[in-house]
Amino acid sequence: MFLSKDDWINQRAYALWEAEGRPDGRGGEHWQQAAREYQLLEQTRASADGSDLIERLKTMGRIMREAGRDDRSETPEKSASSRRSAR
């Protein structure tokens, strides 16, 4: 069963309220926190088939490999020798 946005936020705000010992006058704070959590969930939600997550992981892998190549190409020995030859 899928909840609407408002239903999800309402249930989460209620859970936050209960977790804090049911304090009086904090309903607005709990609602705002629940709304922020919902927004974060929406921003990180993967597609139904996971293709967007797979693409993000591939992109991250490419970035990591490129960063590793940059680190290896600029070793202290190479940078010191290149500075000496530039003089």
Side-chain angles (χ1 to χ4, degrees):
M1 178 177 119
F2 293 101
L3 297 174
S4 72
K5 176 182 176 179
D6 286 340
D7 288 340
W8 189 96
I9 292 172
N10 189 39
Q11 287 184 12
R12 179 63 182 143
Y14 185 83
L16 292 169
W17 175 71
E18 281 191 322
E20 288 189 12
R22 300 179 178 186
D24 289 332
R26 303 267 321 273
E29 292 174 38
H30 295 128
W31 183 270
Q32 289 174 349
Q33 181 179 344
R36 283 191 302 271
E37 290 178 14
Y38 183 86
Q39 184 178 18
L40 288 172
L41 284 172
E42 285 297 305
Q43 290 173 353
T44 59
R45 185 174 303 231
S47 63
D49 64 357
S51 61
D52 62 331
L53 178 59
I54 291 168
E55 191 56 40
R56 282 189 220 156
L57 290 172
K58 286 180 183 176
T59 300
M60 184 56 70
R62 284 192 295 271
I63 291 169
M64 300 288 283
R65 284 190 300 276
E66 288 172 11
R69 274 189 242 125
D70 290 344
D71 290 346
R72 286 191 303 274
S73 67
E74 187 61 35
T75 60
E77 299 83 29
K78 286 185 178 182
S79 59
S81 65
S82 62
R83 281 195 300 266
R84 274 182 273 178
S85 62
R87 290 182 191 170

